[in-house]
Amino acid sequence: GAGKRLPLPESRELRALAAAMNDLLARRDEAADRLRRFTGDAAHELRSPVASIRVQAEVAVAHPDPELAQEVLADVARESQRLSALVDGLLTLARSDAGELPAASAVDLSVAAADAAVRCAVADGPAIRVHAPPGACWVYAAPSEVDLVLDNLLRNAVRHARARVVLTVLTAGRAARVVVDDDGHGIAEEHRARVFDRFYRVQDDRARSSGGTGLGLALVAEVVRRRGGAVRVGESPEGGARFQVTWRTASV
Ligand code: ADP
């Protein structure tokens, strides 16, 4: 059962063996805890859009009124979208947890960044400026992973920025990096260590009106780390948040 540990015997070899075994048991307990927490959080997160859809549908059935029905349907559509995003995110994490990796190839970060900036720009929203070195900047990853990273970081930045988002692509030795800066309110120090955790949200954002799933940054960290890359969050010289993702460069 959880928490049981072997007593440490006299012999040095046996002590080392027992200590290694205890370490293994501790790691197993931690993994079981993580899984329990994740399953509980996922159920909790799925519950709220499902409950909302159910209540609205019941109200609409009980009070047939075409005007109300329009409103209810718009809300049901929004909640359904959030539900789809949640389920998609959970599936991606489950595949990754199971060790399934999409096929990697050389991806040009500069081209992917320019495309993502076009995809994530919103009319009347903050301007997205892209700085990339001349020529290609190859990283070794699946194209879908690079798009997931860029889309999540850019959409967050656009959501929180006042006027400006800056996306920078650069190379440093055998690594290539994207930096996403915004001029929003930033992320307070005490939240930084946890924003990449599954379902973690900065307090003020808890209101899910933003349509977020709490999985965006967890997915970013997952797809980057499993390729040996790294993610970082900090303060931007623009005044808001700065997110950095580093990948190994691909030799072409
Ligand atoms: P969600 O999909 O709910 O936005 P994320 O994993 O993408 O979840 O983000 C986690 C938390 O970090 C959220 O509470 C979000 O508001 C906050 N956050 C993410 N990016 C930024 C940013 N550029 N500026 C300020 N807060 C941010």
Side-chain angles (χ1 to χ4, degrees), residues 61-150:
V61 168
H63 308 280
D65 167 0
E67 228 166 274
L68 179 70
Q70 262 330 94
E71 247 175 73
V72 164
L73 280 178
D75 230 63
V76 165
R78 216 174 12 251
E79 290 298 313
S80 305
Q81 265 166 29
R82 206 152 72 82
L83 201 50
S84 293
L86 257 169
V87 170
D88 287 348
L90 287 171
L91 274 175
T92 304
L93 287 173
R95 283 199 204 100
S96 185
D97 288 345
E100 275 174 53
L101 282 173
S105 57
V107 179
D108 185 352
L109 211 46
S110 300
V111 169
D115 289 349
V118 171
R119 270 199 307 275
C120 298
V122 294
D124 302 322
I128 304 177
R129 210 179 276 185
V130 183
H131 296 296
C137 181
W138 299 105
V139 294
Y140 186 73
S144 62
E145 293 171 337
V146 173
D147 288 345
L148 181 150
V149 167
L150 292 168

Side-chain angles (χ1 to χ4, degrees), residues 159-170:
R159 193 181 302 154
H160 294 279
R162 262 190 292 269
R164 228 157 84 97
V165 171
V166 184
L167 171 59
T168 312
V169 177
L170 44 100

Side-chain angles (χ1 to χ4, degrees), residues 156-157 159-160 182 185-187 195 200-202 205 212-218 241 243:
N156 279 346
R159 193 181 302 154
H160 294 279
D182 69 66
H185 50 78
I187 298 179
V195 287
Y200 187 79
R201 291 187 185 86
V202 174
D205 243 289
T213 61
L215 286 179
L217 292 176
F243 283 89

Side-chain angles (χ1 to χ4, degrees), residues 2-252:
K4 281 211 189 101
R5 297 290 180 270
L6 297 171
L8 296 182
E10 287 294 326
S11 135
R12 216 152 66 85
E13 286 79 7
L14 283 181
R15 277 177 79 88
L17 196 63
M21 201 60 157
N22 284 340
D23 193 47
L24 216 58
L25 288 170
R27 269 190 282 160
R28 185 203 58 181
D29 291 349
E30 270 166 34
D33 277 350
R34 252 200 317 277
L35 184 61
R36 245 194 309 278
R37 211 171 325 124
F38 178 55
T39 310
D41 287 349
H44 180 80
E45 295 286 337
L46 290 168
R47 225 177 156 203
S48 97
V50 170
S52 162
I53 288 168
R54 180 180 165 181
V55 167
Q56 306 240 49
E58 284 171 0
V59 167
V61 168
H63 308 280
D65 167 0
E67 228 166 274
L68 179 70
Q70 262 330 94
E71 247 175 73
V72 164
L73 280 178
D75 230 63
V76 165
R78 216 174 12 251
E79 290 298 313
S80 305
Q81 265 166 29
R82 206 152 72 82
L83 201 50
S84 293
L86 257 169
V87 170
D88 287 348
L90 287 171
L91 274 175
T92 304
L93 287 173
R95 283 199 204 100
S96 185
D97 288 345
E100 275 174 53
L101 282 173
S105 57
V107 179
D108 185 352
L109 211 46
S110 300
V111 169
D115 289 349
V118 171
R119 270 199 307 275
C120 298
V122 294
D124 302 322
I128 304 177
R129 210 179 276 185
V130 183
H131 296 296
C137 181
W138 299 105
V139 294
Y140 186 73
S144 62
E145 293 171 337
V146 173
D147 288 345
L148 181 150
V149 167
L150 292 168
D151 285 1
N152 273 291
L153 295 184
L154 277 180
R155 294 221 158 95
N156 279 346
V158 163
R159 193 181 302 154
H160 294 279
R162 262 190 292 269
R164 228 157 84 97
V165 171
V166 184
L167 171 59
T168 312
V169 177
L170 44 100
T171 51
R174 299 190 50 76
R177 179 173 298 159
V178 289
V179 184
V180 179
D181 286 306
D182 69 66
D183 61 356
H185 50 78
I187 298 179
E189 179 89 55
E190 71 260 32
H191 296 294
R192 288 189 201 146
R194 300 199 55 202
V195 287
F196 293 105
D197 289 357
R198 296 173 183 192
F199 300 120
Y200 187 79
R201 291 187 185 86
V202 174
Q203 204 63 40
D204 299 345
D205 243 289
R206 197 78 204 175
R208 294 183 178 80
S209 51
S210 67
T213 61
L215 286 179
L217 292 176
L219 284 162
V220 167
E222 180 72 24
V223 305
V224 170
R225 286 179 186 147
R226 72 190 181 188
R227 297 279 180 209
V231 293
R232 258 168 57 190
V233 61
E235 250 168 277
S236 167
E238 298 282 324
R242 159 171 281 186
F243 283 89
Q244 297 190 66
V245 172
T246 310
W247 280 278
R248 277 188 301 136
T249 12
S251 32
V252 179

